[in-house]
Amino acid sequence: MADTKWVYDFSEGSKDQKDLLGGKGANLAEMTNLGLPVPPGFTITTDACRYYLEHGGTPPELDAQVSEHLAALEKAMGKTLGDPADPLLVSVRSGAAASMPGMMETVLNVGLNDESVQGLAAQSGSERFAWDSYRRLIQMFGKTVLDIDGDLFEHALDEVKAEQGTDLDLDLDAEHLEDVVGRFKAIVKDATGEDFPQDPREQMDMAINAVFDSWNSDRAIIYRRRERIPSDAGTAVNVCSMVFGNLGTDSGTGVAFTRDPGSGAQGVYGDYLQNAQGEDVVAGIRNTVPLGDLEDIDREAYDELMATMSRLESHYRDLCDIEFTIERNKLWMLQTRVGKRTAAAAFVIATQLVDEGLIDMDEAVRRVTGDQLAQLMFPRFISGGDATQLTQGMNASPGAAVGKAVFSSEEAVTWAQRGEDVVLVRRETNPDDLSGMIAAQGVLTSRGGKTSHAAVVARGMGKTCVCGAEELQVDTKAKKFTAPDGTVVSEGDVISIDGSTGRVWLGEVPVEPSAVVRYFEGEIDPEAEDTEAIVRSVHRILVHADQKRQLAVRTNADTPEDSARARRFGAQGIGLCRTEHMFLGDRRKLVEKLILADGDDERQAALDALEPLQKQDFLEIFEAMDGLPVTVRLLDPPLHEFLPDLTELSVRVALAEERGEPDEGSLRLLAAVRGMHESNPMLGLRGVRLGLVVPGLFAMQVRAIAEAACERKKAGGNPRPEIMIPLVGAVQELEAIREVSVRVLNEVFEQEGCEVDGLLGTMIEVPRAALTAGEIAGSAEFFSFGTNDLTQMTWGFSRDDVEAAFFHQYLDKGIFGISPFESLDREGVGRLVEIAVQQGREARPDLKLGVCGEHGGDPDSVHFFHEVGLDYVSCSPFRVPVARLEAGRAALGGERAGS
Ligand code: PEP
Ligand code: MG
C-alpha cells in the first residue's frame, strides 16, 4: 500500500482508465493529453474510494499525495487555493466508471471564505459575482457535505427575494447576496453547532470525503442494484480548477454535439448561454441561443471550439458531447464523452463513420442495438399535442395507437368494419378477444403483465399494447373507464396509447408511420437515390449482420399472413406455430362436442369434423413458408379455455331453472365445466398431458399435418414440418405420444403414396425436462426451449399474475433490473438451458436446438442463446429483424446492451 498511487494529474491518465479514474476523469485526462484546453486538475482514484469505504477513512498517504497535486495545480494556475487576494477555486466532482447520472455529489467554488470572497470580488471586478459564488458554495456544501436539509437554504433565499419584492435570483445585488451568505452561515451554525469551515483545504478534504460517502447514498444503491453496477466499484473524485462563464458578456457556457444526436446529420448542434454558469442552463433562468450564434458573439472561441470538436470526433471515432465554458474569451473544455443519441441517429452515424473511413462494417453493427432497431419499427407519436395524459401502464408492445375506446371484442370488430379506428379497452384479454385485437389499432388493459395474453398476442401481431394500467377502473358492462383524476372515458371517446412508454392520453396525439417497416415490407427500395438515410443505414447494417451471424432466426406465427410477413422480414422458418387459435371462433362448437363426447364414436365424429379444418390451416402455412421448416406445436392450453365461463354458465342455468325451463345441453355443459375447473390451469391439464388424456386429439393434429404436407408436396411444394410436443416433463410422456405420431405419419404416407421428411421433437419448458434432457433427447429430434413456462416454473411465478401484482415493487427495490419474463434470467433459467443443451447434445449430437419463448426476440437473451450454441431463435414477426441484428452483434462480440 505504501507506494500506491491514489492521485493522478489530468495529464497522467487516458480514456482507457475508466475503472481507475471514472468516466469523467478518464475523458478529462484524454482531452488534456490531446492538448485541449482543460482547466488543470487531478483525479483521486476509485481505489481510494474503495479503501475509504472499507476502512472508514482515507488511506494514510492520500493527504500527502493530494497536497503534492494541489501544489502542482496552484503552480500551473499561478494562484493559491483560497488566497485572500486572488483565490484559486476548485470544483470537487464525483465520477464513477459506469455512468450514474445525478446519483452522486458535486461541490463547486471550494476555496471561498469570508476573506477570499473579497479577493474574488477584486479580481473579477464584480462584487455580486463573488457573493453569489460564496452563497452557492455554502448551499451546496451545507447540503452535500454537512447533510443539512436543502430546503432551509432555499427558504432563506426565497425570504430575501420576497423582501426585495422579486422572485428572480438575478434581481438580487451584491448587498442582498451578502445578506444571503449571512443567513446561510447561521443555518450551518444552527444545524451543526459549528461555523462554516473557513480553511480552504479543510473544505476540500471534507468535500472529497462527502463524494466518497455519496457512493452509498440510498438512491445510488438502488440505482446500482437495478443497473447491475457492482456495489464495490467506488467513485473517483475530480478536483478541477474553476473557470467562470458568468464574468460578463465576454463569458458564457454551453453544450455541444459533434453531430445532431436527433437525426445523425452533420453540422453544428448545441446551445450557448452568455454570461452564465452550467447550473443556470439547467435551471432555465434565461433562454439559450443556438450554438451557431456563438460565431457572431465570439468568433475566435467559436473557431477553436469547432476545431476541438472535429478533433475529438476523429479521436473517439464517434459522436461526442461536450460541455464548455468561455471565460473572458478563453475557451475551456469541462467534459466530453461519447454522446447519447436517438435510435435513428445511431444507425445513420454508424454508416456515416464507415463512409468516412473511421470504422468498419463490423464495428458499425456493434454500435447499434436491437432495441434501437425496434424503436424505429413502430409508428411514433410526434408530440403530446393538446391531449391530456390519463395514466401510465406497462409498455407491453411498442407503437402509437389512436382510436375510439371500445370495451368488447364484438364492438371492436363492428366499429372497425364501418371504418372507425378503435382502441380495445379491457380489464384483461383472453383468446376470445383475438378478433377484437386484430380489428383494433391498439389494446389497453388494466390488468396483466408483459407476458399476459394481451401483451404476447399484441407483440406477435406488432400491435400497440399498454397493459396493467391499474389506475384505470374499467367497467366493460357500462362501457367506460375512470382515470385517477376522475375523468370518465366512455365508448366512442378518442384515446391515444403509447406502447413504448405505457402512456395513455385522452384525445388524439398525432402519429407518423415507420419508414423502416415499409422497407421490410418491400415498399421502399433501400438502394434508391432518394431513399431516406435511415432506411439505407438499416439495410446496410442488417445485410452485414446476416453475413456474420451463426444463429438462424425463425418466427412464431400461426396464420398464413403472419408467416408471409415474417418471411418478408427475414424469418428462416417457423419456430412455433401455436395451434390453439385454430380451435376458436366457429370451431369452438366442435371443440365443445369433443369435450362433451359421450363415448368413442361421438368423440371421433368431433375429431373427424375438426381435422379437415386443421389441414387447411397447415396447407396455407406450409405454402407461405415453402422450403423452410415449420414447427407445429400440438395443442397446449387447458381444455376449459374452450368452454364457457363457469360463473356465467351457472347463472344462465340457474335462471333457466327458475323459469322452469332447464335445458339438457346447458346442464351437461355446466357439469363438464365444473369437472374441468382448475385452480391453477397453467400448471394443470395442458400440453402433452392433454394429449395423453383426450384420446385421438394429438393423433388428429398429426394426421392433419401429414396430410397437408403430402398435398403440398404433390402440388410441387417443399413442406418441411416439425412436430412439437409441449410441456413434456418425463421421457415416458414423449415416448407415448411419439409412438402414436409415428404410426399416424406412416399411415398417412402409405395412404397418400408420398413421404415427407420432417422431425419430431419437444419443447423444454418444465424444469424436470431440462434436468433429464439426456433421456428426453433419446425420443426427440429437436428441443425448443419454451422459456416463458420455464421461467414461470423455475421462479414459481405465475406468468399471468405476478407482473401486474408486485413486479413493480421488485423493480423499484432493485431485486431485478428487468422482468425475467422479458429478458432471460441467465443464472437460473439460463443454467437449466445450459444443462439441457449439454445433456441433449451428448445424447444426440445432431439434436437441433432452438428457443421459442418470448426471450427469442429479446436482445440480451439472443446473446445468451448465441453463447450456449443454439441453432436458432424464434420470435414474433416484428422482432425478426431485431433478432437478426442481435445475432450478428453477438457473433461480432458486440456489447449486450448498447448505449
Ligand atoms: C413458452 O412457454 O415459452 C412457450 C413458447 O409456450 P407458451 O407461451 O405458448 O406457453
Ligand atoms: Mg409454454
Side-chain angles (χ1 to χ4, degrees):
M1 280 282 160
D3 26 357
T4 306
K5 184 169 168 58
W6 304 104
V7 185
Y8 285 70
D9 192 86
F10 287 168
S11 60
E12 292 177 301
S14 84
K15 71 176 172 24
D16 302 323
Q17 288 177 295
K18 283 205 178 87
D19 285 343
L20 185 68
L21 303 177
K24 192 178 287 162
N27 284 324
L28 282 168
E30 191 74 14
M31 286 201 291
T32 303
N33 289 327
L34 282 173
L36 299 179
V38 176
F42 53 87
T43 302
I44 302 168
T45 65
T46 55
D47 282 345
C49 178
R50 279 192 292 275
Y51 182 103
Y52 175 89
L53 296 172
E54 217 174 284
H55 296 83
T58 50
E61 312 84 13
L62 186 66
D63 192 48
Q65 291 189 19
V66 167
S67 298
E68 202 182 296
H69 284 269
L70 179 59
L73 176 59
E74 289 173 330
K75 190 156 169 239
M77 298 297 288
K79 294 182 185 187
T80 312
L81 184 71
D83 179 348
D86 181 12
L88 167 69
L89 305 184
V90 295
S91 61
V92 178
R93 295 174 191 264
S94 60
S99 161
M100 293 174 59
M103 290 299 132
M104 290 177 299
E105 304 294 0
T106 284
V107 187
L108 304 179
N109 301 334
V110 168
L112 276 177
N113 56 22
D114 294 351
E115 288 180 357
S116 63
V117 68
Q118 308 289 355
L120 184 64
Q123 289 298 327
S124 65
S126 168
E127 294 241 350
R128 185 190 185 283
F129 160 72
W131 284 105
D132 192 40
S133 302
Y134 193 19
R135 75 97 190 152
R136 285 178 200 248
L137 168 65
I138 304 173
Q139 189 167 0
M140 271 194 218
F141 193 95
K143 197 168 149 227
T144 304
V145 184
L146 304 174
D147 230 1
I148 299 170
D149 180 0
D151 285 348
L152 295 174
F153 297 108
E154 288 296 342
H155 291 157
L157 185 61
D158 287 344
E159 258 168 40
V160 176
K161 282 193 271 188
E163 285 162 21
Q164 300 313 316
T166 178
D167 45 31
L168 293 179
D169 291 10
L170 279 178
D171 287 342
L172 300 181
D173 63 20
E175 212 175 300
H176 306 135
L177 289 163
E178 189 175 350
D179 178 18
V180 173
V181 164
R183 296 186 195 207
F184 280 8
K185 286 203 298 192
I187 293 173
V188 170
K189 178 89 191 201
D190 201 38
T192 64
E194 313 236 357
D195 287 324
F196 175 74
Q198 293 291 312
D199 177 356
R201 177 61 197 269
E202 188 188 348
Q203 288 176 1
M204 192 174 97
D205 288 343
M206 287 173 80
I208 291 169
N209 289 357
V211 171
F212 286 157
D213 284 328
S214 69
W215 176 256
N216 277 335
S217 68
D218 289 348
R219 61 183 178 183
I221 290 173
I222 291 177
Y223 184 87
R224 281 199 298 272
R225 205 183 283 149
R226 187 162 39 218
E227 298 297 316
R228 290 263 165 276
I229 297 171
S231 59
D232 59 356
T235 179
V237 183
N238 299 295
V239 176
C240 189
S241 39
M242 293 283 301
V243 288
F244 296 96
N246 51 349
L247 286 175
T249 51
D250 57 358
S251 305
T253 190
V255 293
F257 299 89
T258 54
R259 297 176 195 228
D260 181 354
S263 68
Q266 279 147 308
V268 180
Y269 293 91
D271 299 302
Y272 183 67
L273 189 56
Q274 221 171 341
N275 193 12
Q277 278 290 77
E279 316 110 78
D280 301 335
V281 180
V282 183
I285 291 169
R286 275 172 290 143
N287 286 339
T288 55
V289 297
L291 187 58
D293 290 7
L294 179 62
E295 191 172 6
D296 296 330
I297 298 171
D298 188 337
R299 181 63 197 255
E300 238 170 80
Y302 177 80
D303 287 346
E304 191 182 352
L305 180 65
M306 291 302 124
T308 304
M309 279 162 60
S310 91
R311 181 101 192 269
L312 279 174
E313 188 167 273
S314 41
H315 184 72
Y316 280 84
R317 300 182 306 132
D318 208 343
L319 170 145
C320 295
D321 79 21
I322 287 158
E323 286 176 25
F324 66 93
T325 281
I326 296 174
E327 183 184 285
R328 294 197 167 136
N329 305 110
K330 162 100 183 90
L331 174 72
W332 293 102
M333 304 298 292
L334 299 189
Q335 183 170 327
T336 192
R337 64 189 167 192
V338 168
K340 298 244 184 284
R341 64 207 72 187
T342 63
F347 277 84
V348 171
I349 291 171
T351 50
Q352 276 172 1
L353 295 175
V354 171
D355 295 338
E356 289 166 26
L358 286 172
I359 61 174
D360 61 15
M361 273 312 287
D362 283 4
E363 179 64 14
V365 171
R366 285 187 213 107
R367 292 256 179 115
V368 294
T369 68
D371 282 336
Q372 288 167 333
L373 180 58
Q375 283 173 34
L376 294 174
M377 289 179 64
F378 290 95
R380 295 234 243 145
F381 284 122
I382 298 166
S383 76
D386 33 290
T388 343
Q389 188 175 330
L390 293 174
T391 188
Q392 186 162 12
M394 259 185 247
N395 50 341
S397 176
V402 181
K404 295 182 174 165
V406 291
F407 294 83
S408 77
S409 194
E410 294 78 44
E411 296 289 357
V413 173
T414 320
W415 288 54
Q417 272 166 355
R418 48 172 209 251
E420 309 249 30
D421 283 348
V422 295
V423 173
L424 176 62
V425 185
R426 305 280 296 155
R427 218 166 294 170
E428 61 213 336
T429 66
N430 59 49
D432 256 355
D433 289 319
L434 193 67
S435 54
M437 293 179 72
I438 292 169
Q441 301 298 308
V443 183
L444 168 64
T445 72
S446 59
R447 295 205 46 212
K450 287 189 185 169
T451 49
S452 64
H453 180 267
V456 171
V457 175
R459 272 200 298 278
M461 296 192 293
K463 186 128 311 189
T464 303
C465 176
V466 172
C467 66
E470 303 217 20
E471 289 182 334
L472 300 182
Q473 284 165 20
V474 177
D475 185 343
T476 49
K477 288 233 162 61
K479 300 186 178 180
K480 61 171 191 168
F481 71 78
T482 312
D485 67 355
T487 306
V488 175
V489 174
S490 306
E491 185 176 71
D493 293 346
V494 173
I495 56 171
S496 302
I497 62 170
D498 186 340
S500 313
T501 61
R503 293 203 172 93
V504 180
W505 290 273
L506 178 64
E508 179 173 345
V509 181
V511 289
E512 59 189 355
S514 156
V516 171
V517 167
R518 292 182 50 225
Y519 148 65
F520 288 132
E521 287 287 10
E523 292 166 19
I524 297 182
D525 173 2
E527 268 146 23
E529 290 258 324
D530 56 349
T531 295
E532 288 177 53
I534 180 61
V535 171
R536 280 185 279 131
S537 296
V538 166
H539 173 69
R540 284 172 69 186
I541 286 178
L542 272 182
V543 166
H544 194 73
D546 284 341
Q547 282 164 6
K548 297 290 171 169
R549 67 187 157 92
Q550 287 148 29
L551 280 170
V553 176
R554 296 195 193 179
T555 191
N556 293 357
D558 46 25
T559 65
E561 297 76 34
D562 274 358
S563 310
R565 163 177 288 145
R567 199 168 183 167
R568 291 195 294 276
F569 282 22
Q572 296 159 289
I574 291 185
L576 173 63
C577 171
R578 292 181 166 103
T579 52
E580 39 268 31
H581 292 145
M582 303 171 182
F583 286 70
L584 295 169
D586 297 346
R587 305 181 190 178
R588 201 177 178 130
K589 277 276 159 243
L590 297 172
V591 181
E592 222 171 86
K593 278 196 182 144
L594 172 70
I595 301 170
L596 299 177
D598 200 1
D600 293 351
D601 291 349
E602 263 188 39
R603 185 181 311 110
Q604 196 53 50
L607 289 170
D608 288 347
L610 275 169
E611 207 229 280
L613 304 172
Q614 275 268 271
K615 179 177 163 189
Q616 192 58 35
D617 298 324
F618 299 138
L619 265 177
E620 291 173 22
I621 290 174
F622 288 147
E623 190 175 353
M625 279 288 167
D626 193 60
L628 298 176
V630 173
T631 308
V632 180
R633 179 179 73 183
L634 304 188
L635 196 63
D636 183 39
L639 271 190
H640 74 69
E641 280 201 9
F642 301 99
L643 294 175
D645 178 73
L646 176 61
T647 321
E648 262 173 40
L649 189 60
S650 307
V651 171
R652 192 151 32 103
V653 168
L655 287 176
E657 274 175 351
E658 214 172 271
R659 288 196 304 269
E661 22 181 270
D663 106 69
E664 186 59 26
S666 299
L667 283 172
R668 263 181 73 195
L669 194 56
L670 180 61
V673 172
R674 280 219 180 97
M676 271 179 210
H677 182 75
E678 292 175 307
S679 299
N680 267 317
M682 288 302 272
L683 299 176
L685 184 59
R686 284 177 62 192
V688 69
R689 306 165 189 174
L690 205 58
L692 289 166
V693 169
V694 181
L697 177 61
F698 277 13
M700 180 276 286
Q701 290 198 286
V702 172
R703 185 176 303 277
I705 295 167
E707 287 181 354
C710 285
E711 194 171 320
R712 278 295 308 152
K713 191 161 178 188
K714 285 181 193 167
N718 178 16
R720 294 177 54 197
E722 298 184 348
I723 297 173
M724 178 155 81
I725 320 296
L727 225 75
V728 165
V731 70
Q732 292 85 342
E733 293 171 313
L734 185 59
E735 278 166 1
I737 298 292
R738 187 182 171 85
E739 211 176 280
V740 176
S741 304
V742 170
R743 182 170 46 73
V744 171
L745 286 171
N746 289 335
E747 271 168 28
V748 174
F749 293 155
E750 201 165 309
Q751 219 171 306
E752 300 288 329
C754 143
E755 199 145 315
V756 178
D757 290 335
L759 301 177
L760 240 163
T762 184
M763 294 190 72
I764 301 288
E765 52 182 346
V766 174
R768 192 180 186 284
L771 296 171
T772 59
E775 281 174 44
I776 290 178
S779 288
E781 286 151 343
F782 66 88
F783 285 173
S784 178
F785 291 96
T787 46
N788 301 334
D789 275 307
L790 198 57
T791 301
Q792 156 165 276
M793 297 188 215
T794 302
W795 282 83
F797 281 153
S798 160
R799 57 195 263 205
D800 288 343
D801 298 316
V802 290
E803 285 191 283
F806 64 85
F807 266 25
H808 59 283
Q809 295 202 30
Y810 265 44
L811 293 164
D812 287 349
K813 291 186 191 333
I815 308 288
F816 34 64
I818 185 165
S819 158
F821 286 112
E822 205 170 315
S823 192
L824 193 88
D825 151 38
R826 290 175 172 240
E827 293 76 26
V829 179
R831 182 75 195 112
L832 286 170
V833 172
E834 276 169 352
I835 291 170
V837 166
Q838 189 226 331
Q839 284 192 16
R841 283 235 164 97
E842 230 162 67
R844 188 192 283 260
D846 64 346
L847 183 72
K848 202 183 237 187
L849 296 166
V851 56
C852 63
E854 285 293 293
H855 304 89
D858 166 64
D860 190 29
S861 313
V862 170
H863 287 242
F864 174 81
F865 299 128
H866 166 84
E867 285 159 31
V868 297
L870 297 197
D871 298 304
Y872 69 86
V873 294
S874 186
C875 54
S876 55
F878 275 85
R879 282 180 159 193
V880 165
V882 173
R884 285 165 56 198
L885 175 60
E886 285 295 347
R889 296 185 67 244
L892 289 168
E895 272 176 38
R896 287 202 255 134
S899 58

